[in-house]
Amino acid sequence: MVSQSALPRRTLGRTGLEASILGFGTAPLGDLFLELDDQTAIAAASRAFELGINLLDTSPHYGNGLSEH
């Protein structure tokens, strides 16, 4: 497992929140390219978190809310 501090972070505006410099785009979790089973989608999100990514790009339009689910 990679330490969460391994991925640099930046302060988000004046909020004081620290966001990873890389984000995780969740459109594929909404079956953008092919249908994913829940186990695969959860594994992908879990791995992103393990790598220190805390910036998620999601939208209700990604699979009509599937990526957010």
Side-chain angles (χ1 to χ4, degrees):
M1 181 184 296
V2 176
S3 167
Q4 286 192 2
S5 63
L7 187 60
R9 296 178 183 244
R10 301 285 185 265
T11 302
L12 192 59
R14 291 182 266 179
T15 66
L17 298 173
E18 296 285 323
S20 53
I21 62 168
L22 295 176
F24 178 63
T26 63
L29 303 185
D31 296 342
L32 176 66
F33 302 113
L34 56 102
E35 188 174 330
L36 293 180
D37 60 273
D38 287 348
Q39 185 177 3
T40 301
I42 291 167
S46 294
R47 185 65 178 143
F49 292 136
E50 287 173 4
L51 293 172
I53 295 172
N54 71 345
L55 177 64
L56 300 178
D57 169 22
T58 190
S59 166
H61 299 290
Y62 297 165
N64 292 319
L66 182 60
S67 72
E68 293 173 323
H69 172 72

